[in-house]
Amino acid sequence: MMIARSPHRKSELMVALVKLVSTGGLAAATIRAIANEVGVTEGAVYRHFRSKEDLCWAAYKQIVEEMIHEKEKLAVKHMPVREKIREWVQLTYEYFDRDPQAFSYVLFSTGCVPESEQEITHAQGKLF
């Protein structure tokens, strides 16, 4: 019997990780807990990610890239600086309002960023 795979499984695993970390900290987000949250086996998690660290990094990167994408659009607009700053702050709060768990995850999970990828932690600041 073949088990149907969800085309969105990687995303589901990242969402589960973020949820578990936001409610119980990184220690609560075990591979077993993540798998249970999604309704898959632990092996299924490892089919998509080499390790918990790989999963943590993928979630962090996806969230930060979403935040950056919104602000890149703002950065190229021609408008007074004061208005641009006001919109920048508004975008930040809107992201938090849409997904407080993801926002908190990025804020408190900078330790999951591999040494070779540290540049992403400063990407929004450089864009600003």
Side-chain angles (χ1 to χ4, degrees), residues 61-76:
K61 184 178 178 187
Q62 180 179 337
I63 295 164
V64 169
E65 286 175 348
E66 286 174 18
M67 294 172 147
I68 290 169
H69 181 70
E70 291 178 342
K71 291 176 178 164
E72 283 174 332
K73 291 181 204 172
L74 175 61
V76 297

Side-chain angles (χ1 to χ4, degrees), residues 22-88:
S22 71
T23 58
L26 192 56
T30 63
I31 293 296
R32 176 173 286 154
I34 294 163
N36 288 340
E37 183 72 26
V38 177
V40 298
T41 65
E42 291 176 51
V45 177
Y46 288 113
R47 275 195 292 281
H48 294 283
F49 298 99
R50 292 183 309 263
S51 64
K52 178 179 169 182
E53 291 75 21
D54 187 35
L55 172 54
C56 290
W57 163 237
Y60 183 93
K61 184 178 178 187
Q62 180 179 337
I63 295 164
V64 169
E65 286 175 348
E66 286 174 18
M67 294 172 147
I68 290 169
H69 181 70
E70 291 178 342
K71 291 176 178 164
E72 283 174 332
K73 291 181 204 172
L74 175 61
V76 297
K77 285 186 179 179
H78 297 289
M79 59 188 359
V81 173
R82 177 174 245 142
E83 188 177 328
K84 197 176 272 195
I85 291 170
R86 187 174 293 121
E87 281 195 40
W88 185 282

